[in-house]
Amino acid sequence: MPIISFFFIIFEPMVKSINWKKSIFLVYYFLVICPFIRSQSLPIIQNQANWQQEVDYTIDVKLDVQRQMLLGYEEFIYTNHSPQTLHEIYIHLWPNAYKNNKTALVKQALENKNTNLYFAEKRERAWIDSLKPSINGKPVELIFDEHIDYAKISLPEPLLPGQQMVFASPFRVKIPSKVFSRMGYEDSIFCITQWYPKPAVYDVNGWNPMPYLDQGEFYSEFGRFNVSIEVPKDFVVAATGVLQNKVELNWLNEKIANYKLENPETNAYKKLTYTQDRIHDFAWFASKKFKVAKSKVALPSGKQVETWFYAQKSYRESLETGLSYANEAVEFYSKKVGEYPYAIASVVITPLEAGGGMEYPTITNCQSIDKTTIVHEIGHNWFYGILGSNERNYPWMDESINTYYENRNDNQLAKASKDLNKSKELNLNLNSINSPSFLYKWIARKNNDQAGNLNSTAYTDMNYGGIVYAKNPLSFAYLEAYMGTDHFDKMMQAYFQKWKFKHPLPNDFFVHLYSNGKDSLQWFEKELLNGTSKQDIAIKGNQKGLKLYNKGNAKLPMPLSLKNGDSTLETLWFKENTNLKWADFTSWNSLKDVAKDSINVSVELKYAPLDIYPQNNRLFYAKKNKKLEFTPLFNFENNQSNAIFWMPLYAWNTYNRSMLGITFYNSILPENKNEINFSPLYSFHSNTLNGYLDLKHRFYPNHPRFKNIALGLKMKSYGHNDISENNAAAQYSKFEPYLETEIKPSYARSNSYQKLTASWALLNNNMPGYHFLNWNSKSMGLVHLNYTYERNVCFYPVKAQIDYQFNTNKGNINKLGLSIEQGIEFEKRKKTIKLRFFGGLSFQQFNNNDMSAQTAYFMAGATTGINDYLFDESLMGRSETAIEKGNIFSKQIILNEAAFRANAFLGSSDKWMTALNLTLPIPKIKLPMGLYFDMNYVPLKQTEIATNTISYKNQLNYVGGIYFSIYKDIFAIYFPIEAFCSNELRNYWNLNKQSAFFEKANFVLNLKEINPVKLIRNFSIN
Ligand SMILES: [Zn+2]
């Protein structure tokens, strides 16, 4: 067989020819040196200039309802306030982001595993065309680079500082047939956003053109908008700015007064004009079915702001509720940040794919009437609308600051600390996992977090939520706690006044912050925004004195509160490693007559919301501090003590039969640096103590490539064979210290995963009467090294493993395996063709029949429980053999090494093996079934017992058949078809009288993969 031999030909020399020194250097280079080279980039100016460009628009647009198109004409006057002469201008043409599958929008969506737009049909897509641009009346050309959603125009004449030019062009926009991102026609609503040609910002860094993205927002020039929209007369329009048509306004007021008023069906059109000054974008929404409500907010200065609410399929009451949220937000932000400068603020409920809401000047759209979303989106009028920062490059300047205020309006931290403290109660503490501090802990404890000051496009899907919307807002809460609320508010109000209607850059904020701080606040930028250092404050001590120290690596001022029960008397800020006395608190004297039992010092969540292990944040004066708490059943951790959860456990296998026990575990979510899972189980059938133990301590090195290093110990003991009349079970035991490390990909969004594991498995499978510590010469000490690589990308996922095993007890197992599996996804990723290669090499051959090594030979037939000599799998009948009919567990196979999917003994080898596996789902049917084909080529070991001579015979084995997958890769049944099987396999079936179709069937049940803790932890938001 040429193909198979070919694999062996390249595999063996590859192993022999490895230059180990060079390899070690290469590994070091890619893991350690490379990331530093990658992270260097060009410096960007982070202080805004004292000038900014101005763009004043006049746009006429008509909505063609039938064809789902916009027919428009646009003119804008561009004023060059910069000191530079401009020779070009960049224009955003964002509807083109939906045009084909090569756009940045589609690429980003695929990286985030979202294929909605990728699989969209042509008629559902969108684009902008019919452009005939001119500048000052002279026709100009659009010049495209790799992005079709923005273009460069070379100016016919240079635009000198202080000069103006007029851009004009007709345009036509095809609207997406559903909302793939934030624009489209869905649910009988036209969502018209990012729809017109719009110049990129020219600032101190030059031009800022950017393709349209979901994950990453906008940056546009301030100016005046005058937009006329033509729609059929029965449409209600919700738009940016102030409506200028009296007749329309009267009609809307009538609709508000008479909620049930239906719109008259008509083909006639109406023209509505909206104007607004000092804004940088314009969005509008139109539907025949919009219900309308409006209200007013009076600001402290006496100024009145009109609030409008649009939604369809809603009761009047819910519209009123929505309005009350909008009013609350307008009032809150006006008071805390600065007065709302516009006359109107609107909310419209629409379908939306990119997030739960989206901000546009004076109007925001939300998916539902939800308070958090509405307050957040209205808040963007301040952080995005009025302070027009570059949202794409610095999401912390709008999303994070805005979310901080939204949390504050909702009293988020107070609520979260209440929830996190009560989780020792029996009810499942779901509110607490919804809080930003929990989300941050979830990511940060795994060491998956990224810095807070990155470009939106640099974040993983998970971190865009967990850092931009959770950690950074908490960093601002930290700053508020440290500065004091009044001082912080004054600082932010002054920042708002200084930069309103401008484009502040990061340094503009920092310069302002530092000039307003009483002392150095550099830690805010250095430790909280720029890096991924973690805080873990701990208190130690007793009545004589206490010590406040930081077990994490973030160098931050630390808050400590003196408390009487739950009420805070005083909070002071300290440096790391401060030694304190209780009397250092000035309110200490007031506690003289109080029962000392309730007095404690605490690092409170509202002051230090980023502490990733808050369980060591409290010390009682006269009471013992509870460090560990036993809690029944399942719950999430609480903030006050380390919890050990327990629950009764039942297990079953063929040899021990029913087992009863208890399982103890300390952590489900978030990951914990110390983890325990202990499940002792007693069998009344075999009278043995069985069970499982996994103890683990993780280190999180401050290194760009090592996510974590875990040191652990696994122990396991169950029956593995019935050996006597009275059914006493032979027990196996495993004692396995291990070291494992997860390696970060070279860039966060790469979707690749790498893990290295090294363990030393001490294995005993003795006769009855054997006990756990009975290690002897028959035991196996298996050094096991494993490297796993996964590339979890859309369409072509890859999995690869290198595995090495060596028996330190006898040296009789010494082998290396390599497997590579390539997936090819089809039918919109619902089905995957899998092509797998395995190559194995044994460095040790034997002259005699070493029984204990034989289970580790490369198997030509299926791997079954007997060959699971590492006792790695969770099997219900590991010693059942195929010959015993009617024994369901004898049909279970394990897909490792050659992964041959037919249970038959076809010989084995201690030399080498190559194998190929193909899994081919049947297209166009709903059932999860398909064809499979496995083959291997192997020098089978043959021993002539009489003469004790050993020979090898190369043999090709193959099996083909039909499979039926019951649950993904975890549970599947395989039915071999004789016509597709090798002679040796057919002979085996004949010899063992397995002729019926179902007798040849086998199944895979991968119980090891069903680990609820792992499944919950690896859950990601997408
Ligand atoms: Zn937002």
Side-chain angles (χ1 to χ4, degrees):
M1 274 280 110
I3 300 174
I4 296 169
S5 318
F6 170 76
F7 275 119
F8 181 66
I9 290 162
I10 54 167
F11 185 63
E12 196 188 35
M14 214 167 72
V15 175
K16 284 183 178 160
S17 69
I18 289 173
N19 176 338
W20 291 102
K21 266 188 197 161
K22 197 173 156 195
S23 307
I24 289 166
F25 172 75
L26 281 176
V27 168
Y28 185 76
Y29 177 81
F30 283 109
L31 290 182
V32 183
I33 302 172
C34 212
F36 285 114
I37 297 171
R38 277 189 98 110
S39 64
Q40 286 172 9
S41 58
L42 287 172
I44 294 170
I45 301 168
Q46 304 238 343
N47 286 81
Q48 198 53 273
N50 56 5
W51 51 266
Q52 73 188 30
Q53 309 295 61
E54 185 184 338
V55 186
D56 298 315
Y57 295 86
T58 307
I59 307 174
D60 284 301
V61 62
K62 185 176 178 177
L63 173 67
D64 181 337
V65 176
Q66 285 307 313
R67 292 192 297 161
Q68 298 180 359
M69 282 210 178
L70 300 175
L71 307 168
Y73 183 83
E74 169 179 322
E75 258 184 37
F76 63 73
I77 301 166
Y78 189 97
T79 311
N80 181 13
H81 290 302
S82 85
Q84 288 102 34
T85 299
L86 300 183
H87 298 276
E88 66 210 10
I89 185 172
Y90 282 85
I91 306 281
H92 290 141
L93 302 164
W94 281 334
N96 275 348
Y98 305 92
K99 192 174 178 181
N100 62 37
N101 279 342
K102 289 178 191 142
T103 63
L105 176 64
V106 175
K107 283 180 190 161
Q108 188 189 58
L110 287 184
E111 280 176 16
N112 288 349
K113 305 270 180 74
N114 179 341
T115 50
N116 290 344
L117 182 55
Y118 183 88
F119 289 123
E121 288 169 35
K122 200 179 170 200
R123 59 174 181 82
E124 297 175 314
R125 289 176 177 268
W127 56 84
I128 182 167
D129 65 5
S130 309
L131 292 148
K132 287 197 186 70
S134 69
I135 286 184
N136 295 335
K138 288 178 190 153
V140 289
E141 231 180 282
L142 297 170
I143 306 158
F144 292 90
D145 62 4
E146 85 257 40
H147 298 286
I148 56 168
D149 50 351
Y150 65 76
K152 187 173 94 171
I153 294 173
S154 296
L155 301 181
E157 283 132 33
L159 186 67
L160 301 178
Q163 276 192 344
Q164 291 187 326
M165 64 179 177
V166 179
F167 168 96
S169 180
F171 64 95
R172 189 175 73 155
V173 173
K174 162 70 174 63
I175 301 161
S177 298
K178 61 179 184 187
V179 177
F180 292 105
S181 173
R182 305 168 181 127
M183 180 200 212
Y185 176 68
E186 194 173 315
D187 225 0
S188 46
I189 303 175
F190 285 95
C191 303
I192 311 299
T193 65
Q194 310 301 351
W195 51 285
Y196 58 94
K198 182 166 72 169
V201 172
Y202 183 80
D203 67 7
V204 68
N205 287 303
W207 287 104
N208 291 270
M210 47 185 78
Y212 178 88
L213 292 174
D214 268 0
Q215 188 182 314
E217 296 169 336
F218 313 109
Y219 188 33
S220 316
E221 300 284 15
F222 282 96
R224 192 171 56 247
F225 281 77
N226 186 327
V227 180
S228 294
I229 301 169
E230 270 184 90
V231 291
K233 272 192 162 168
D234 50 351
F235 271 71
V236 174
V237 174
T240 295
V242 178
L243 175 65
Q244 303 296 314
N245 309 66
K246 280 258 158 64
V247 178
E248 181 73 4
L249 207 57
N250 289 341
W251 182 60
L252 290 176
N253 283 328
E254 224 177 290
K255 282 183 73 72
I256 293 167
N258 182 0
Y259 188 70
K260 291 207 170 107
L261 188 73
E262 288 295 328
N263 306 349
E265 283 271 341
T266 170
N267 287 327
Y269 269 67
K270 61 186 172 188
K271 189 172 186 173
L272 310 173
T273 303
Y274 296 83
T275 60
Q276 186 62 59
D277 205 357
R278 295 187 298 177
I279 53 169
H280 51 68
D281 202 358
F282 191 100
W284 56 284
F285 306 85
S287 168
K288 284 183 197 179
K289 294 181 182 169
F290 275 149
K291 306 281 183 194
V292 194
K294 75 170 179 180
S295 172
K296 257 182 199 166
V297 187
L299 301 182
S301 70
K303 181 186 168 158
Q304 302 247 336
V305 177
E306 262 188 19
T307 48
W308 287 72
F309 207 91
Y310 305 83
Q312 56 182 35
K313 293 186 221 154
S314 278
Y315 296 106
R316 181 178 220 138
E317 292 72 34
S318 39
L319 259 75
E320 299 289 340
T321 311
L323 261 181
S324 75
Y325 300 151
N327 291 350
E328 185 181 326
V330 171
E331 214 179 327
F332 177 80
Y333 279 83
S334 289
K335 272 187 189 156
K336 300 296 173 196
V337 186
E339 186 169 272
Y340 188 66
Y342 310 116
I344 194 165
S346 312
V347 178
V348 50
I349 304 300
T350 69
L352 200 60
E353 272 303 310
M358 190 59 205
E359 65 270 15
Y360 302 96
T362 81
I363 191 165
T364 63
N365 63 325
C366 300
Q367 248 182 345
S368 61
I369 304 178
D370 162 69
K371 186 178 172 186
T372 310
T373 315
I374 291 173
V375 171
H376 177 96
E377 301 307 333
I378 289 271
H380 271 302
N381 277 296
W382 281 260
F383 300 99
Y384 150 82
I386 305 162
L387 296 171
S389 54
N390 182 338
E391 293 186 286
R392 176 71 54 90
N393 285 2
Y394 311 108
W396 70 267
M397 295 187 79
D398 71 302
E399 289 303 345
S400 304
I401 301 181
N402 182 37
T403 307
Y404 154 76
Y405 279 105
E406 168 217 316
N407 291 347
R408 191 168 144 187
N409 178 58
D410 198 32
N411 245 332
Q412 236 309 317
L413 280 172
K415 278 189 200 165
S417 79
K418 224 168 138 194
D419 286 330
L420 283 166
N421 288 348
K422 72 177 182 201
S423 76
K424 27 186 196 290
E425 291 161 23
L426 236 157
N427 59 335
L428 195 58
N429 181 23
L430 283 171
N431 278 340
S432 70
I433 62 166
N434 210 4
S435 76
S437 50
F438 191 91
L439 184 55
Y440 168 64
K441 262 188 274 181
W442 182 359
I443 296 164
R445 283 205 197 159
K446 282 198 202 178
N447 217 355
N448 274 347
D449 55 325
Q450 291 171 270
N453 62 349
L454 306 181
N455 187 305
S456 345
T457 57
Y459 288 106
T460 62
D461 204 14
M462 188 77 186
N463 279 344
Y464 191 55
I467 302 298
V468 176
Y469 294 84
K471 185 199 175 182
N472 287 349
L474 295 174
S475 301
F476 276 89
Y478 206 103
L479 188 62
E480 178 209 327
Y482 182 76
M483 291 176 82
T485 303
D486 283 351
H487 190 190
F488 175 86
D489 283 349
K490 282 201 183 102
M491 181 276 294
M492 287 303 287
Q493 284 154 6
Y495 170 66
F496 177 80
Q497 290 304 333
K498 189 172 171 188
W499 287 100
K500 64 183 178 185
F501 311 117
K502 291 179 185 157
H503 304 297
L505 285 167
N507 253 357
D508 299 320
F509 176 79
F510 296 127
V511 167
H512 175 80
L513 171 68
Y514 300 147
S515 69
N516 275 272
K518 278 188 214 128
D519 53 82
S520 165
L521 296 169
Q522 309 275 341
W523 51 263
F524 173 75
E525 184 185 352
K526 223 176 116 195
E527 300 288 328
L528 292 180
L529 272 182
N530 290 3
T532 54
S533 55
K534 321 277 193 294
Q535 183 178 49
D536 175 16
I537 308 176
I539 316 168
K540 253 188 190 170
N542 49 38
Q543 293 184 353
K544 285 181 197 140
L546 45 118
K547 188 176 179 182
L548 192 63
Y549 63 106
N550 180 14
K551 294 166 84 175
N553 55 358
K555 305 231 172 301
L556 293 164
M558 301 196 286
L560 188 67
S561 305
L562 179 67
K563 297 179 80 175
N564 181 8
D566 281 337
S567 61
T568 308
L569 303 169
E570 188 180 355
T571 303
L572 300 172
W573 290 80
F574 299 99
K575 288 189 175 147
E576 280 184 48
N577 300 324
T578 307
N579 290 312
L580 277 163
K581 292 211 166 60
W582 293 80
D584 289 347
F585 289 92
T586 46
S587 17
W588 178 249
N589 289 332
S590 69
L591 288 169
K592 265 181 193 160
D593 305 322
V594 174
K596 293 280 187 277
D597 260 10
S598 58
I599 298 170
N600 66 88
V601 282
S602 293
V603 177
E604 296 184 86
L605 181 79
K606 61 181 172 182
Y607 295 116
L610 293 165
D611 191 320
I612 59 169
Y613 288 101
Q615 287 78 12
N616 49 13
N617 285 5
R618 188 167 62 167
L619 180 77
F620 280 95
Y621 178 74
K623 207 164 74 176
K624 202 165 184 282
N625 289 280
K626 251 194 189 171
K627 287 210 171 130
L628 209 58
E629 217 151 334
F630 284 85
T631 307
L633 300 178
F634 168 93
N635 214 327
F636 299 106
E637 64 173 43
N638 72 64
N639 261 5
Q640 315 225 306
S641 56
N642 290 308
I644 299 247
F645 303 106
W646 62 270
M647 58 178 152
L649 187 67
Y650 171 83
W652 187 93
N653 70 43
T654 312
Y655 318 108
N656 302 113
R657 307 282 171 91
S658 286
M659 291 170 273
L660 273 179
I662 303 176
T663 181
F664 300 92
Y665 55 96
N666 73 327
S667 174
I668 303 159
L669 258 185
E671 181 176 289
N672 204 309
K673 62 186 167 194
N674 295 309
E675 280 184 17
I676 177 170
N677 182 353
F678 179 43
S679 308
L681 285 156
Y682 192 78
S683 157
F684 295 96
H685 174 76
S686 60
N687 290 325
T688 47
L689 184 64
N690 310 295
Y692 175 82
L693 169 78
D694 189 359
L695 284 174
K696 186 186 283 194
H697 177 78
R698 288 195 190 85
F699 302 89
Y700 299 95
N702 198 8
H703 187 276
R705 296 309 300 275
F706 289 99
K707 195 193 279 187
N708 59 49
I709 297 169
L711 255 179
L713 171 67
K714 276 183 201 164
M715 281 165 81
K716 192 177 172 187
S717 182
Y718 292 102
H720 71 100
N721 213 342
D722 281 326
I723 59 131
S724 62
E725 287 292 302
N726 60 6
N727 279 340
Q731 296 277 122
Y732 75 86
S733 296
K734 185 171 173 178
F735 179 92
E736 187 180 23
Y738 64 94
L739 183 85
E740 62 185 27
T741 173
E742 287 180 293
I743 296 161
K744 286 186 192 180
S746 56
Y747 62 102
R749 283 180 60 81
S750 92
N751 281 326
S752 76
Y753 174 82
Q754 292 176 80
K755 187 176 171 182
L756 279 165
T757 317
S759 73
W760 189 36
L762 294 159
L763 288 151
N764 239 348
N765 46 343
N766 283 10
M767 303 290 113
Y770 142 85
H771 58 86
F772 209 98
L773 299 170
N774 189 17
W775 303 106
N776 58 34
S777 60
K778 283 182 191 160
S779 312
M780 203 189 266
L782 219 97
V783 169
H784 188 187
L785 307 174
N786 182 282
Y787 167 75
T788 301
Y789 172 85
E790 283 174 30
R791 199 160 158 263
N792 298 309
V793 291
C794 282
F795 312 123
Y796 302 105
V798 179
K799 273 185 205 167
Q801 275 200 48
I802 300 172
D803 200 89
Y804 174 73
Q805 296 168 13
F806 178 70
N807 185 0
T808 51
N809 218 18
K810 284 185 179 174
N812 59 358
I813 298 170
N814 186 359
K815 65 180 196 178
L816 184 70
L818 165 75
S819 71
I820 301 166
E821 183 179 278
Q822 174 73 60
I824 301 162
E825 298 172 340
F826 67 107
E827 286 188 0
K828 299 194 174 177
R829 298 190 64 218
K830 286 197 183 88
K831 290 181 176 171
T832 310
I833 298 170
K834 285 178 189 163
L835 183 63
R836 182 178 177 274
F837 161 75
F838 171 76
L841 194 60
S842 174
F843 302 101
Q844 184 75 58
Q845 287 87 40
F846 297 95
N847 291 324
N848 56 1
N849 282 321
D850 183 338
M851 291 297 284
S852 68
Q854 266 183 23
T855 52
Y857 284 6
F858 295 117
M859 301 299 295
T863 308
T864 61
I866 295 170
N867 305 104
D868 180 31
Y869 54 93
L870 275 166
F871 294 91
D872 251 355
E873 306 291 326
S874 299
L875 302 170
M876 285 179 287
R878 59 172 55 247
S879 301
E880 309 307 296
T881 55
I883 302 148
E884 297 163 36
K885 286 192 183 181
N887 183 346
I888 185 77
F889 300 121
S890 72
K891 302 286 185 190
Q892 184 168 7
I893 56 172
I894 300 163
L895 298 186
N896 65 3
E897 297 193 340
F900 198 74
R901 286 169 281 188
N903 186 1
F905 183 78
L906 302 175
S908 59
S909 179
D910 57 1
K911 267 194 152 170
W912 55 264
M913 167 175 259
T914 53
L916 282 175
N917 314 89
L918 176 67
T919 307
L920 196 68
I922 299 173
K924 289 179 184 163
I925 60 163
K926 277 209 166 157
L927 288 172
M929 59 186 289
L931 306 175
Y932 74 94
F933 187 75
D934 300 323
M935 61 180 178
N936 59 59
Y937 189 61
V938 55
L940 295 177
K941 187 174 187 176
Q942 291 171 328
T943 310
E944 192 76 49
I945 297 169
T947 55
N948 200 20
T949 49
I950 287 168
S951 62
Y952 290 90
K953 181 189 157 224
N954 288 357
Q955 184 171 300
L956 177 73
N957 305 289
Y958 56 89
V959 56
I962 301 168
Y963 75 87
F964 196 84
S965 164
I966 292 155
Y967 184 71
K968 292 182 179 171
D969 284 346
I970 291 173
F971 189 17
I973 306 176
Y974 298 90
F975 301 97
I977 293 171
E978 276 207 31
F980 303 130
C981 299
S982 56
N983 281 335
E984 286 76 10
L985 181 56
R986 278 186 281 188
N987 290 343
Y988 175 87
W989 282 324
N990 281 337
L991 219 63
N992 289 290
K993 300 193 172 61
Q994 289 177 304
S995 51
F997 182 73
F998 287 101
E999 278 176 338
K1000 293 185 272 260
N1002 301 116
F1003 73 92
V1004 165
L1005 178 58
N1006 218 338
L1007 288 174
K1008 213 168 61 169
E1009 294 301 311
I1010 313 174
N1011 178 342
V1013 174
K1014 223 179 184 177
L1015 290 176
I1016 292 171
R1017 243 182 232 163
N1018 293 339
F1019 168 81
S1020 77
I1021 309 167
N1022 65 28

